[in-house]
Amino acid sequence: MKILVCVSKTPDTTAKIAFTDNNTKFDNNGVQWIINPYDEWYALVRAIELKEADPSSVIHLVTVGTADADPIIRKALALGGDEAIRVNADSQDSYYVAAQIAQVARDGGYDLLLAGKETIDFNGASIGGMLAELLDLPYVALAARLDLAGNKATIVREIEGGEETVEAELPLVISCQKGMAEQRIPNMRGIMAARTKPLKVVEPVAADTLTSIAAFGLPPAKAGVKLVSPDNVEELVRLLHEEAKSI
Amino acid sequence: MPVLIFIDSAEGHVKKASLEALTYGADLATQLGTHAEGIVLGNMTEDISALGKYGVKKIHQVADASLDQFDSQTYCAIIAEAVKATGSDLLVLSNNVHGKAIAPRLSARLKAGLVAGAVAMADTSNGFIVKKSVFSGKAFAQVSIQTAIKIIAINPNSYKTVANEGTAELVPFAVTIPASKIKLLQVNKASGEVPLTEAEIVVSAGRGMKGPENWGMVEELAKTLHAATACSRPVADAHWRPHNEHVGQTGIAIAPNLYIAIGISGAIQHLAGVNRSKVIVVINKDAEAPFFKAADYGIVGDAFEVVPKLTEAIKKMKAS
Ligand SMILES: Cc1cc2nc3c(=O)[nH]c(=O)nc-3n(C[C@H](O)[C@H](O)[C@H](O)COP(=O)(O)OP(=O)(O)OC[C@H]3O[C@@H](n4cnc5c(N)ncnc54)[C@H](O)[C@@H]3O)c2cc1C
Ligand SMILES: Nc1ncnc2c1ncn2[C@@H]1O[C@H](COP(=O)(O)O)[C@@H](O)[C@H]1O
């Protein structure tokens, strides 16, 4: 079993969101970078669990990014995984990124390709689907569970108001979310081992960009909270009904 | 060239999120001086032509039983054919569960720029720019689409549905349906409840509720408001509530008209999933709880006293 896990670098969940250069760039100042939580906690950890169940498995990680993604990749390798591939490119366009990962996937011949549900910065939720289409593979999005038996995958995926269980044969692309696995913390042995695991840097292939970001912005600040006394809940009901018109 | 709208359905019923996509697509068509058409896949139990009231003139349908089950690969192949057949250069769909699986596939297949998570009407005055939510609702981006064919996936609850008069002409769409490589084994759906992502009102509770045995009052309040229930992450992690109720950065992101947060501190990761709610009400016994900063209305008080009183007051208001 050969597994490819897509790993991206995102600002820490508590990072202050601000923009520079006339609101065209994210303000990196003082920002801590982490592995995108969906990639780390769910996609990568589930891949590691699958390898634990079948030690003949191989896990490769892929990141499209510049050298400043290397610390994140090392951290991912410390959790588990055998080697990493970094496509040396900087792009905010999902299609361009997916095209790079598709090339890595073709070269590697993987049975299972795992992505996170979405990146917590750009919230595209797009790379998995694009990758599946570029490789002409089935795609199960928003998976909360994945089990393998030989060549067959059983997946629980989110639907509105519940979940459904589907079955598909490998090779397959899956986007992972909560429920897939439990968060792990890298141990000392993992951290030491990660230092010597291969991190290959490859140059990007030619690919189109379909979109670009013209500007960022922040939502208008809230006017401030209107407090109502706990002894006067009727007033809250009145406000919600007459002022906010939400009940 | 018409704007084409994918009409998503479940068990033969059009999803509410698709009514938003229909209204959005029809408004966009008007803005561009063209008209809107829809495409629906699978067998429907409701009268589809009635969707004309949301502004579509014509709806293409592939009423094949094999499409009653969702597969992004077959859906994508068919919708791509419909884009070609109608000559459409603009595809609109909801960024809901199915939209998230199909839209990126279509983007790659048609080499069409995609804005996933649009929150406002496209600005077509100079180029083609669509506002989308980024950083989990903490910011937005104006995304410019550069390709001839464009795809917009709009976030649920971010565009107001408008119904007028009108019926749509229903036309069968002849297409070869590829065999699905995905087999549906089982559907697990809480029946009768309002799905969280579609709910207009969400009642949510956190660790302040002390334990799962105290959720009766939360559910009672939700029932009174026809609301869905949600919870904070530690509550789902402790199995007090099912994990599909967990909202926030790592859970589900929602944007209801009203979000009532009970005994939730308002950590930044929680806010990331709920900050697109139109009105936020916070009930917390700690006046310093960070959630009050993100709230529109608040009560500083003990949930165990406030929540039952609030339910009664709402019942009284509804009865009057
Ligand atoms: C990477 C990352 C991702 C995360 N993702 C999420 C996420 O998606 N969603 C999420 O929710 N959290 C998430 N968290 C966790 C988050 O940081 C908080 O720990 C969590 O939201 C706190 O949950 P809570 O408010 O229910 O509990 P607490 O922080 O314990 O707050 C309980 C609140 O209840 C109040 N209270 C107590 N008793 C009463 C009473 N009788 N009446 C009224 N109020 C009362 C208290 O004053 C307090 O404000 C994430 C954390 C990390 C690091
Ligand atoms: N630059 C990248 N390199 C590798 N994987 C990525 C990259 N960007 C996104 N991904 C993967 O695709 C998933 C969805 O990302 P997105 O479509 O950008 O929201 C992420 O959770 C990652 O698994």
Side-chain angles (χ1 to χ4, degrees), chain B residues 104-134:
Chain B
R105 288 201 85 119
L106 282 160
S107 170
R109 189 181 188 102
L110 300 166
K111 280 276 196 102
L114 161 68
V115 176
V119 291
M121 182 45 66
D123 177 357
T124 53
S125 59
N126 183 11
F128 198 102
I129 293 183
V130 188
K131 183 173 170 179
K132 92 174 278 283
S133 168
V134 292

Short mmCIF file of all heavy atoms in Angstrom, two decimals, chain B residues 104-134:
data_model
loop_
_atom_site.label_atom_id
_atom_site.label_comp_id
_atom_site.label_asym_id
_atom_site.label_seq_id
_atom_site.Cartn_x
_atom_site.Cartn_y
_atom_site.Cartn_z
N PRO B 104 -14.81 21.53 -7.29
CA PRO B 104 -13.39 21.46 -7.68
C PRO B 104 -13.13 20.49 -8.83
O PRO B 104 -12.26 20.75 -9.66
CB PRO B 104 -12.68 20.99 -6.40
CG PRO B 104 -13.73 20.56 -5.45
CD PRO B 104 -15.01 21.18 -5.88
N ARG B 105 -13.89 19.40 -8.89
CA ARG B 105 -13.72 18.47 -10.02
C ARG B 105 -14.05 19.18 -11.32
O ARG B 105 -13.34 19.07 -12.31
CB ARG B 105 -14.68 17.27 -9.88
CG ARG B 105 -14.33 16.28 -8.80
CD ARG B 105 -15.00 14.94 -9.09
NE ARG B 105 -14.16 14.19 -10.00
CZ ARG B 105 -13.60 13.01 -9.72
NH1 ARG B 105 -13.85 12.42 -8.57
NH2 ARG B 105 -12.84 12.41 -10.60
N LEU B 106 -15.17 19.92 -11.32
CA LEU B 106 -15.60 20.63 -12.53
C LEU B 106 -14.58 21.69 -12.91
O LEU B 106 -14.30 21.91 -14.09
CB LEU B 106 -16.97 21.26 -12.31
CG LEU B 106 -18.12 20.25 -12.41
CD1 LEU B 106 -19.36 20.78 -11.72
CD2 LEU B 106 -18.42 19.93 -13.88
N SER B 107 -14.03 22.34 -11.90
CA SER B 107 -13.02 23.36 -12.15
C SER B 107 -11.84 22.76 -12.92
O SER B 107 -11.38 23.31 -13.92
CB SER B 107 -12.56 23.97 -10.83
OG SER B 107 -11.44 24.79 -11.02
N ALA B 108 -11.39 21.60 -12.46
CA ALA B 108 -10.24 20.96 -13.11
C ALA B 108 -10.63 20.44 -14.50
O ALA B 108 -9.87 20.55 -15.45
CB ALA B 108 -9.72 19.82 -12.24
N ARG B 109 -11.83 19.89 -14.61
CA ARG B 109 -12.24 19.29 -15.88
C ARG B 109 -12.45 20.34 -16.96
O ARG B 109 -12.06 20.16 -18.11
CB ARG B 109 -13.53 18.51 -15.68
CG ARG B 109 -13.94 17.68 -16.86
CD ARG B 109 -15.24 16.99 -16.52
NE ARG B 109 -15.64 16.01 -17.50
CZ ARG B 109 -15.49 14.70 -17.34
NH1 ARG B 109 -14.90 14.23 -16.25
NH2 ARG B 109 -15.92 13.86 -18.25
N LEU B 110 -13.08 21.46 -16.58
CA LEU B 110 -13.42 22.50 -17.57
C LEU B 110 -12.36 23.59 -17.63
O LEU B 110 -12.52 24.56 -18.37
CB LEU B 110 -14.77 23.12 -17.22
CG LEU B 110 -15.98 22.18 -17.19
CD1 LEU B 110 -17.17 22.85 -16.52
CD2 LEU B 110 -16.35 21.74 -18.60
N LYS B 111 -11.31 23.44 -16.82
CA LYS B 111 -10.31 24.51 -16.70
C LYS B 111 -11.02 25.83 -16.42
O LYS B 111 -10.79 26.85 -17.08
CB LYS B 111 -9.48 24.62 -17.98
CG LYS B 111 -8.39 23.60 -18.09
CD LYS B 111 -7.14 24.07 -17.34
CE LYS B 111 -5.90 23.30 -17.72
NZ LYS B 111 -5.05 24.03 -18.64
N ALA B 112 -11.94 25.78 -15.47
CA ALA B 112 -12.76 26.93 -15.13
C ALA B 112 -12.38 27.41 -13.74
O ALA B 112 -12.38 26.63 -12.80
CB ALA B 112 -14.24 26.53 -15.17
N GLY B 113 -12.06 28.68 -13.61
CA GLY B 113 -11.70 29.24 -12.31
C GLY B 113 -12.86 29.10 -11.34
O GLY B 113 -14.01 29.35 -11.70
N LEU B 114 -12.56 28.68 -10.13
CA LEU B 114 -13.59 28.41 -9.12
C LEU B 114 -13.41 29.34 -7.92
O LEU B 114 -12.31 29.50 -7.41
CB LEU B 114 -13.47 26.96 -8.65
CG LEU B 114 -14.13 26.58 -7.32
CD1 LEU B 114 -15.66 26.65 -7.41
CD2 LEU B 114 -13.69 25.18 -6.89
N VAL B 115 -14.53 29.93 -7.47
CA VAL B 115 -14.52 30.59 -6.17
C VAL B 115 -15.38 29.73 -5.25
O VAL B 115 -16.59 29.66 -5.41
CB VAL B 115 -15.05 32.03 -6.24
CG1 VAL B 115 -15.10 32.64 -4.84
CG2 VAL B 115 -14.15 32.88 -7.13
N ALA B 116 -14.73 29.04 -4.33
CA ALA B 116 -15.44 28.15 -3.40
C ALA B 116 -15.67 28.90 -2.10
O ALA B 116 -14.73 29.33 -1.46
CB ALA B 116 -14.62 26.89 -3.17
N GLY B 117 -16.93 29.06 -1.74
CA GLY B 117 -17.24 29.77 -0.50
C GLY B 117 -17.56 31.23 -0.74
O GLY B 117 -17.28 32.09 0.10
N ALA B 118 -18.20 31.52 -1.89
CA ALA B 118 -18.59 32.90 -2.19
C ALA B 118 -19.63 33.36 -1.18
O ALA B 118 -20.45 32.57 -0.71
CB ALA B 118 -19.16 32.98 -3.61
N VAL B 119 -19.59 34.65 -0.83
CA VAL B 119 -20.54 35.18 0.15
C VAL B 119 -21.29 36.41 -0.37
O VAL B 119 -22.09 36.98 0.36
CB VAL B 119 -19.84 35.54 1.49
CG1 VAL B 119 -19.36 34.29 2.20
CG2 VAL B 119 -18.68 36.50 1.26
N ALA B 120 -21.04 36.81 -1.61
CA ALA B 120 -21.75 37.97 -2.15
C ALA B 120 -21.84 37.86 -3.66
O ALA B 120 -21.12 37.06 -4.29
CB ALA B 120 -21.01 39.26 -1.77
N MET B 121 -22.71 38.66 -4.25
CA MET B 121 -22.88 38.69 -5.70
C MET B 121 -21.57 39.10 -6.37
O MET B 121 -20.82 39.92 -5.83
CB MET B 121 -24.00 39.67 -6.04
CG MET B 121 -24.36 39.81 -7.49
SD MET B 121 -24.52 38.25 -8.38
CE MET B 121 -25.94 37.51 -7.62
N ALA B 122 -21.31 38.50 -7.53
CA ALA B 122 -20.09 38.82 -8.27
C ALA B 122 -20.09 40.27 -8.73
O ALA B 122 -21.13 40.82 -9.06
CB ALA B 122 -19.99 37.89 -9.48
N ASP B 123 -18.93 40.87 -8.72
CA ASP B 123 -18.76 42.22 -9.25
C ASP B 123 -18.27 42.06 -10.69
O ASP B 123 -17.13 41.65 -10.92
CB ASP B 123 -17.76 42.98 -8.38
CG ASP B 123 -17.48 44.37 -8.93
OD1 ASP B 123 -18.02 44.72 -10.01
OD2 ASP B 123 -16.72 45.11 -8.28
N THR B 124 -19.13 42.37 -11.64
CA THR B 124 -18.77 42.16 -13.05
C THR B 124 -18.51 43.49 -13.76
O THR B 124 -18.48 43.55 -14.98
CB THR B 124 -19.89 41.38 -13.77
OG1 THR B 124 -21.13 42.07 -13.57
CG2 THR B 124 -20.02 39.98 -13.24
N SER B 125 -18.32 44.56 -12.96
CA SER B 125 -18.15 45.87 -13.58
C SER B 125 -16.78 46.03 -14.24
O SER B 125 -16.63 46.73 -15.22
CB SER B 125 -18.37 46.97 -12.54
OG SER B 125 -17.45 46.81 -11.48
N ASN B 126 -15.80 45.34 -13.68
CA ASN B 126 -14.45 45.45 -14.22
C ASN B 126 -13.77 44.12 -13.98
O ASN B 126 -13.26 43.86 -12.90
CB ASN B 126 -13.72 46.61 -13.50
CG ASN B 126 -12.34 46.83 -14.06
OD1 ASN B 126 -11.99 46.29 -15.11
ND2 ASN B 126 -11.54 47.61 -13.35
N GLY B 127 -13.80 43.24 -14.98
CA GLY B 127 -13.33 41.88 -14.76
C GLY B 127 -14.43 41.07 -14.10
O GLY B 127 -15.61 41.38 -14.24
N PHE B 128 -14.04 40.04 -13.36
CA PHE B 128 -15.03 39.19 -12.70
C PHE B 128 -14.50 38.86 -11.31
O PHE B 128 -13.59 38.05 -11.16
CB PHE B 128 -15.26 37.92 -13.53
CG PHE B 128 -16.52 37.20 -13.19
CD1 PHE B 128 -17.65 37.31 -13.99
CD2 PHE B 128 -16.60 36.42 -12.04
CE1 PHE B 128 -18.82 36.64 -13.67
CE2 PHE B 128 -17.77 35.76 -11.71
CZ PHE B 128 -18.88 35.87 -12.53
N ILE B 129 -15.06 39.54 -10.31
CA ILE B 129 -14.51 39.41 -8.96
C ILE B 129 -15.58 38.94 -7.99
O ILE B 129 -16.71 39.46 -7.99
CB ILE B 129 -13.89 40.75 -8.51
CG1 ILE B 129 -12.66 41.03 -9.39
CG2 ILE B 129 -13.51 40.71 -7.04
CD1 ILE B 129 -11.90 42.26 -9.04
N VAL B 130 -15.24 37.92 -7.21
CA VAL B 130 -16.22 37.37 -6.28
C VAL B 130 -15.62 37.38 -4.87
O VAL B 130 -14.48 36.97 -4.65
CB VAL B 130 -16.59 35.91 -6.66
CG1 VAL B 130 -17.75 35.43 -5.80
CG2 VAL B 130 -16.95 35.81 -8.13
N LYS B 131 -16.43 37.84 -3.91
CA LYS B 131 -15.99 37.90 -2.52
C LYS B 131 -16.19 36.54 -1.88
O LYS B 131 -17.26 35.95 -2.00
CB LYS B 131 -16.84 38.96 -1.81
CG LYS B 131 -16.48 39.21 -0.37
CD LYS B 131 -17.29 40.39 0.14
CE LYS B 131 -17.16 40.56 1.63
NZ LYS B 131 -17.92 41.72 2.11
N LYS B 132 -15.15 36.04 -1.24
CA LYS B 132 -15.28 34.76 -0.54
C LYS B 132 -14.79 34.88 0.88
O LYS B 132 -13.99 35.75 1.20
CB LYS B 132 -14.56 33.64 -1.30
CG LYS B 132 -13.11 33.41 -0.87
CD LYS B 132 -12.49 32.20 -1.55
CE LYS B 132 -12.82 30.87 -0.91
NZ LYS B 132 -12.11 30.52 0.31
N SER B 133 -15.29 33.98 1.70
CA SER B 133 -14.88 33.94 3.10
C SER B 133 -13.54 33.20 3.20
O SER B 133 -13.35 32.16 2.60
CB SER B 133 -15.98 33.22 3.87
OG SER B 133 -15.56 32.90 5.15
N VAL B 134 -12.59 33.78 3.95
CA VAL B 134 -11.30 33.11 4.20
C VAL B 134 -10.97 33.19 5.68
O VAL B 134 -11.66 33.87 6.45
CB VAL B 134 -10.13 33.70 3.36
CG1 VAL B 134 -10.30 33.40 1.88
CG2 VAL B 134 -10.01 35.20 3.58
#
